[in-house]
Amino acid sequence: QSPLTMIGSRAFSLVFSLTAREATARTLFHHRPLRPPSPPTRPPFHSAASAAFMQKRDFIISRYYNKALRNIFKMSAPPTSIHKVDSDRKGPDPGLTASHLFLTSSDPDRDEGVLQSLPLGTNGLSLGLCGLAGVCGELERRGVSPFLTTVPYWVAMGCAALLFVTFTARLVVSPRARLRMEATTPQLCFAYGAYQMTYLFVLFRVVKLACPACVGPGIHAGAVLQLVVIGLFLAGCWRTGLKPEPLWNPPTINCAVTAIVGIAALGANHWLVRSSLWYALALQVLFVPWQVWRTVRDPDIAPNCAVSMMQAPCSLNTLTFGVVRRGAKLARLGPVFLGDARAEQVLAHALFAAATLVFWLTLYCLWARRGPIRERGFDLSFVALTFPSCSTAIAGLQYASPPADAAASGADGTLLLLLRIYAFVVAGCVALTVVAVALGCAKIAVDELRRRAQ
C-alpha cells in the first residue's frame, strides 16, 4: 500500500475506535442500571472467620445498595435508566410503579420486618402532615370554624408524631451498613432533612404539652442535627458531583424551621432565631436560582412529583420571615431583623414575589413531567407535594392578612380582597392534596400489611 493509503486507514481506525469508546462510555456511565459494584478480586481466604466476614459484606452490599436505590427513591435518575432497571425484572417493579409506604418486592428471599422496610419517604409524609397542621392553624387565625381547623390540626399532628416515633424506631433496628449507605448517598440522605424538621415540629407542638422545659434544649439539639445533615449531604454531593436540584432543599433550607419553632420558645430576638433565618436566606440566594434554571430547562431532573420541592426554599423563608415579624410585634420588640420597619416591608414584598414566581414555575415543571408521572402512577414522590405546598399556602395567608397583622402586605380594599381569594383558594387546594396523599399512602400500607399477613 502507498503511504497515503496507510495513513488514511490508520486515521479511520483511530477515529472509529474513539467513537466506539465514547459510545461505550456513554452506555456505561450515563444509562447504566443501578447495580451493586462487583466485589474486587482477592486472594484465597486464610481463615474461616475472614471468609464469613467477606460473605456477610457481599450480602449486605447486594441486598441494601441496589434495592434501596431502586425501591426507596428514584429522584434523580432519568427515565431511560428507570426502564433499563425494569427490563431485567420479572413482573412490575413495585418500587417504581406503586412505591409503598412499606416496601414490597417480588424477590422471594425478602425477609425484612415491617419496621425495617419503612422507607425514607415516611419522613416526607410526616412533615407534610405537620404542614397541614400549620395551614389549619393559619386558617383559624383568619376566622375559619374551629371544627374545620382545630380537629384536623390535632389529627394531623398525632399522625405525624406516630410516624416520627415509628421511623425513629426504624433507625434503632436498622443495620449499620444500611444507615451508613443512606448517610453517604445524597439521593437518600436528603430525606433526613425532613426527619429533622419533623422532629422540631413534634417537639414544639406535642412534646411541649407534656414537658415545656424540654423545648429549649431540644431546639438547640435540632439545630446541631441540621448541621450534621447538611454536612453529610453536601459531602455526598461533592463526592458524587450532584448539582443543585429540588432534592437539595430538605437538608439545606430546613434551618428555617429552627427559626419558626424558636420564636415562641426562645424569642424573636434570640441569636439562634436570627442566625437561622439569615442562614436560610443566604442558602436561598446561593442555590435557588441555579436549581430553578436547571430544573426548568431539563425535564430529566426530578422526573416525578419530587420536583414540587423546588418551591420549598422561597415559600418557607417567606413564611419564616412573617412569623419572625409577628413574634417581634407581639413581644413589642420592633423590627428586630433589619432594624427598620420600611426595609422589612420591602423585604417581605420581595420574598413573597419570589415565592409566588417559583410556585408557578413548579406547577409548570409538574405539567412538563405529566407523562412520566401518569405512567408511574402513585408513588412516594407524591409526598413532595405536601410540605412545600403547605409553606406556599401559609405564606399566602400571612401576606393576605389584615393590615394590622405584622406579617401582612399592608394592602387594603380591592387588592386585599384579591389577595385573600388567591390565598384561600391555594390553601384549600393544598389541604385537599395533603389529605389525598396521606390517604393514598395509608391504603398502600394497609394492602402491604395484608400481603405480609398471608
Side-chain angles (χ1 to χ4, degrees), residues 295 302-311 359-374 381-382 384-385 389:
T295 307
N304 48 29
C305 287
V307 74
S308 302
M309 293 185 291
M310 188 176 73
Q311 62 182 312
F359 169 65
W360 286 100
L361 287 176
T362 302
L363 294 181
Y364 166 77
C365 291
L366 284 170
W367 177 257
R369 291 157 175 79
R370 64 191 183 279
I373 292 174
R374 189 184 302 112
S381 67
F382 275 68
L385 292 168
S389 302

Side-chain angles (χ1 to χ4, degrees), residues 78-330:
T80 52
S81 62
I82 292 176
H83 294 308
K84 289 196 175 186
V85 172
D86 290 342
S87 62
D88 60 348
R89 295 180 59 91
K90 296 180 180 180
D93 186 351
L96 297 178
T97 58
S99 184
H100 288 180
L101 187 64
F102 297 106
L103 293 182
T104 61
S105 176
S106 58
D107 299 330
D109 61 343
R110 189 176 185 89
D111 57 355
E112 285 186 345
V114 172
L115 192 60
Q116 292 186 357
S117 299
L118 200 66
L120 296 172
T122 309
N123 297 309
L125 179 59
S126 58
L127 182 61
L129 292 173
C130 293
L132 176 61
V135 173
C136 292
E138 195 65 32
L139 288 174
E140 187 176 3
R141 293 177 61 91
R142 304 279 80 82
V144 180
S145 172
F147 179 77
L148 298 176
T149 55
T150 305
V151 175
Y153 176 92
W154 289 112
V155 171
M157 284 308 306
C159 295
L162 179 62
L163 290 175
F164 173 78
V165 173
T166 306
F167 191 84
T168 303
R170 182 258 200 194
L171 294 179
V172 175
V173 301
S174 293
R176 292 184 178 180
R178 182 176 187 174
L179 298 179
R180 188 180 303 112
M181 183 269 295
E182 292 174 355
T184 55
T185 306
Q187 288 86 351
L188 304 176
C189 181
F190 82 98
Y192 284 98
Y195 177 79
Q196 184 263 350
M197 289 185 278
T198 305
Y199 159 77
L200 289 175
F201 282 125
V202 172
L203 173 71
F204 179 69
R205 296 174 178 173
V206 180
V207 178
K208 181 182 178 181
L209 301 177
C211 182
C214 300
V215 176
I219 292 175
H220 288 84
V224 174
L225 178 60
Q226 194 276 335
L227 294 177
V228 173
V229 171
I230 192 176
L232 292 173
F233 178 78
L234 293 180
C237 292
W238 177 269
R239 184 172 56 255
T240 59
L242 182 65
K243 298 178 181 179
E245 58 181 81
L247 65 84
W248 274 55
N249 296 329
T252 55
I253 306 298
N254 56 344
C255 55
V257 178
T258 305
I260 294 175
V261 301
I263 291 171
L266 305 176
N269 202 28
H270 195 273
W271 67 269
L272 183 59
V273 173
R274 291 186 297 169
S275 60
S276 297
L277 182 53
W278 278 113
Y279 179 31
L281 291 174
L283 293 177
Q284 174 182 336
V285 173
L286 287 175
F287 296 143
V288 169
W290 188 2
Q291 171 192 144
V292 171
W293 175 255
R294 295 185 67 241
T295 307
V296 171
R297 293 179 67 249
D298 189 357
D300 287 339
I301 295 178
N304 48 29
C305 287
V307 74
S308 302
M309 293 185 291
M310 188 176 73
Q311 62 182 312
C314 297
S315 299
L316 189 57
N317 285 340
T318 304
L319 136 70
T320 305
F321 184 62
V323 173
V324 169
R325 295 179 67 196
R326 183 181 292 168
K329 183 177 181 179
L330 291 176

